[in-house]
Amino acid sequence: MKKKTIVWALAAALLLPSTAGVAAEEARTIEDESIYDVLVDRYFNKQIQNDYDVDATDPGAFSGGDFSGMESEIAHVRDMGFTVLSMGPVFQTASYDGREVLDYGQLERHFGTVEEFQSLIDEVHESDMKAIVDLPTQEVSAEHIWAQENPDWFIENGDQTLSLDTGNEEVQQALIQMFVDFRDTYGIDGVRLQDSEELDPAFIENFSAAMKRQEGFYVLADAEMESRPGFDAVVQEGVEQTLRDSYRNFDQSLADIPELMQQTEGKLIRVDSLDGSRFTSDIVESRGYPPTRWRMLFAQLLTMPGIPVVQYGSETAMNGEALPESHQILDMAVEKELIDYITNLNSLRNSSEALRMGELEMLHEEEGWMVYKRSNEEEAWIIAINNSSGTKSHSLSPDIIGEGMELRGLFESDIVRPDEDGQYRLTLDRELVETYHITEKRGLNTAYIVTLGLMYLVFMGFLWVVWKKGKQRKADEAAKKNK
């Protein structure tokens, strides 16, 4: 797979000379981003000094992950091509997932020190990524420091946790002031409001207005909901269930995806969330093969309109039917094939504005065989997804592709040229995805042929030198024996 990744990268570099690095060179917007979503406690444990009452064998306990561990392994996220690290809640908490906040004014001691958190943020920025954290307000601990001072700010949930009344103006001001100070202290780039559908609309708008005094700061929702003033992006309604149902096994219908894709522009799209089961559990239940299913799902997620949010462990096909089982410790010592596939897809998406924000045109959908086009004025792509148990074909007219053009596939190395009727016929084996770049038809690549010829001559010369030295060595050894 490593060899294939290198070949693919070279192909992408040749195909995308005009768009490479666009997102890095220009100021990014939320639609340019791809988000890697993680919990600090479940990523990587580096510092043993903060392992207070840690029990990695208990799924509901702190397992030891910390800021220093996240910083030391940040390359795992960066190299896959993600542009935003979403690290969950980081405040002092009674629970490993950070939801049961005790004090917004303190960092969780299991996660590390102020200096270690700042070092992590700096390393994220050095890696040309953005850092966002979650702000929990609706399931905080009954021992929260504010509850002791202002009990009227809270509503009891019935499960021994409390909800802050975000309709209360005093609560709004306290939360806004707290997070403005937090933002300014550490230089983070965004916040995701947990349980966002339960928050007071006025609070969301006021909070967002205060946060956005910092240019480029993101305020995101964590729930599937309709767009609301104050949020840069919300999670597209129905996205998780639609994608799960469509890709849990082959020969599943993709009929609901075209309508979904018409709605996802500017929305957060995901297939797992940190609140429930893993997609792998759906695959196992349907007796599918996780690596193949995940490959197809990632191809869909990273080429359709919207802002992809990928939960940690998806790159390793992490399993789990419910919390806390679905919050396993990330295992980085796994087969890299799926990780390489995500890297290739993200590299393509980061290099192509058309794939991030271009127009969508659905060209074909029938019996698990879907073909669509992403394009802008500079470039165009055809994405073909065969989610069936047999080989599929579909012909595209020159009205869609253009005259004198060809389709160059980046993953299966397929080249499609017009047939005698001028049609571009796509053929794809079962359970495969191909991403075709529409480009001008090329003749013989003279430079490439010359380079291959030179390499052949050099290689033959090397063999001749080896043969010559071997012959001389044998002659020398024979002469020694005859003395």
Side-chain angles (χ1 to χ4, degrees):
M1 186 63 187
K2 192 68 175 177
K3 182 178 179 181
K4 189 172 183 179
T5 302
I6 294 171
V7 171
W8 189 94
L10 290 172
L14 291 172
L15 287 171
L16 299 172
S18 62
T19 58
V22 169
E25 293 173 3
E26 300 176 2
R28 297 201 303 257
T29 68
I30 188 62
E31 290 183 301
D32 289 312
E33 311 289 10
S34 56
I35 302 171
Y36 185 84
D37 202 7
V38 69
L39 296 172
V40 175
D41 183 66
R42 299 300 156 102
Y43 191 71
F44 188 74
N45 185 4
K46 183 177 181 181
Q47 299 285 5
I48 61 172
Q49 294 92 331
N50 52 37
D51 288 348
Y52 312 101
D53 301 321
V54 162
D55 184 358
T57 65
D58 180 358
F62 284 93
S63 66
D66 48 42
F67 300 136
S68 293
M70 189 168 284
E71 179 183 351
S72 70
E73 301 298 326
I74 199 69
H76 176 70
V77 182
R78 180 196 64 218
D79 292 349
M80 283 191 290
F82 292 100
T83 62
V84 175
L85 176 66
S86 171
M87 59 189 74
V90 297
F91 310 103
Q92 186 178 17
T93 176
S95 59
Y96 73 88
D97 62 1
R99 297 187 74 94
E100 294 184 35
V101 179
L102 291 161
D103 187 354
Y104 293 117
Q106 302 290 328
L107 296 175
E108 172 50 45
R109 66 174 187 163
H110 286 92
F111 301 162
T113 65
V114 167
E115 293 77 16
E116 289 164 349
F117 182 62
Q118 186 64 70
S119 182
L120 168 60
I121 301 301
D122 293 343
E123 184 62 27
V124 170
H125 291 159
E126 284 291 320
S127 299
D128 196 29
M129 294 190 293
K130 295 183 179 180
I132 66 175
V133 302
D134 281 10
L135 176 57
T137 61
Q138 301 302 292
E139 296 179 31
V140 303
S141 171
E143 304 300 318
H144 194 290
I145 189 172
W146 288 357
Q148 302 169 31
E149 302 167 357
N150 301 283
D152 56 316
W153 287 7
F154 293 85
I155 301 169
E156 294 186 5
N157 290 329
D159 61 354
Q160 298 184 331
T161 66
L162 303 175
S163 293
L164 275 161
D165 179 8
T166 55
N168 182 313
E169 290 188 7
E170 290 184 342
V171 171
Q172 291 185 20
Q173 291 304 312
L175 285 170
I176 290 170
Q177 186 58 57
M178 175 276 299
F179 210 83
V180 165
D181 292 342
F182 183 84
R183 178 202 66 192
D184 293 345
T185 298
Y186 297 107
I188 62 169
D189 306 290
V191 60
R192 183 171 58 184
L193 297 177
Q194 288 194 344
D195 302 303
S196 48
E197 77 281 15
E198 300 177 19
L199 304 179
D200 182 79
F203 164 68
I204 295 171
E205 289 194 64
N206 294 335
F207 181 88
S208 180
M211 295 306 119
K212 287 183 170 297
R213 290 177 190 141
Q214 175 179 310
E215 186 176 356
F217 194 90
Y218 297 144
V219 179
L220 307 178
D222 76 330
E224 295 187 5
M225 57 191 293
E226 293 184 1
S227 297
R228 239 181 237 184
F231 284 126
D232 290 286
V234 301
V235 181
Q236 170 63 44
E237 292 181 300
V239 65
E240 283 194 51
Q241 198 60 52
T242 298
L243 292 178
R244 284 179 179 233
D245 290 345
S246 300
Y247 288 105
R248 63 175 62 211
N249 210 338
F250 58 82
D251 286 334
Q252 303 288 132
S253 173
L254 304 180
D256 292 333
I257 291 182
E259 182 180 355
L260 176 73
M261 286 201 291
Q262 297 295 338
Q263 304 168 7
T264 52
E265 183 177 352
K267 304 284 185 63
L268 300 170
I269 52 176
R270 66 191 186 194
V271 70
D272 277 351
S273 71
L274 293 178
D275 298 327
S277 67
R278 292 284 183 160
F279 176 51
T280 300
S281 67
D282 291 3
I283 301 172
V284 172
E285 181 183 12
S286 300
R287 299 186 178 181
Y289 181 58
T292 301
R293 300 287 90 215
W294 268 111
R295 281 169 62 93
M296 301 199 72
L297 190 282
F298 274 121
Q300 176 76 74
L301 194 70
L302 295 172
T303 62
M304 67 185 282
I307 305 127
V309 183
V310 174
Q311 313 309 320
Y312 87 99
S314 297
E315 72 274 25
T316 63
M318 185 180 290
N319 203 349
E321 294 184 3
L323 303 179
E325 180 193 7
S326 56
H327 289 170
Q328 299 171 29
I329 301 170
L330 180 61
D331 180 9
M332 297 184 189
V334 295
E335 168 61 44
K336 301 293 185 182
E337 186 170 346
L338 185 56
I339 294 173
D340 289 340
Y341 190 68
I342 297 168
T343 301
N344 289 340
L345 283 166
N346 254 334
S347 176
L348 180 59
R349 186 180 185 276
N350 291 339
S351 299
S352 172
E353 186 177 347
L355 280 177
R356 297 193 306 275
M357 293 179 284
E359 294 182 5
L360 169 71
E361 183 180 357
M362 182 58 59
L363 303 175
H364 180 78
E365 187 284 312
E366 185 179 12
E367 297 179 347
W369 172 225
M370 183 167 62
V371 183
Y372 55 94
K373 181 180 181 181
R374 300 295 311 277
S375 63
N376 59 14
E377 293 181 356
E378 286 75 37
E379 57 175 341
W381 299 88
I382 299 293
I383 295 90
I385 301 177
N386 183 2
N387 192 43
S388 76
S389 55
T391 300
K392 295 287 188 178
S393 296
H394 183 69
S395 293
L396 301 175
S397 71
D399 293 340
I400 296 170
I401 305 301
E403 298 285 353
M405 307 297 282
E406 66 183 19
L407 306 179
R408 288 185 168 261
L410 295 189
F411 290 95
E412 302 304 319
S413 302
D414 190 17
I415 299 178
V416 180
R417 298 188 175 97
D419 59 20
E420 58 184 14
D421 297 322
Q423 299 292 301
Y424 296 82
R425 187 168 181 79
L426 307 180
T427 300
L428 210 59
D429 289 339
R430 59 172 290 174
E431 296 186 273
L432 286 180
V433 177
E434 182 59 290
T435 303
Y436 297 94
H437 186 229
I438 301 177
T439 184
E440 292 183 1
K441 188 175 180 180
R442 300 179 183 179
L444 292 175
N445 191 329
T446 305
Y448 179 70
I449 294 172
V450 170
T451 300
L452 284 180
L454 289 173
M455 290 176 64
Y456 177 77
L457 290 174
V458 170
F459 181 66
M460 294 303 294
F462 170 76
L463 291 179
W464 183 84
V465 170
V466 171
W467 172 80
K468 191 74 173 177
K469 287 184 176 181
K471 187 176 180 181
Q472 183 62 48
R473 185 171 58 253
K474 288 181 179 179
D476 293 343
E477 290 175 354
K480 289 180 181 179
K481 289 180 180 180
N482 292 331
K483 284 182 179 180

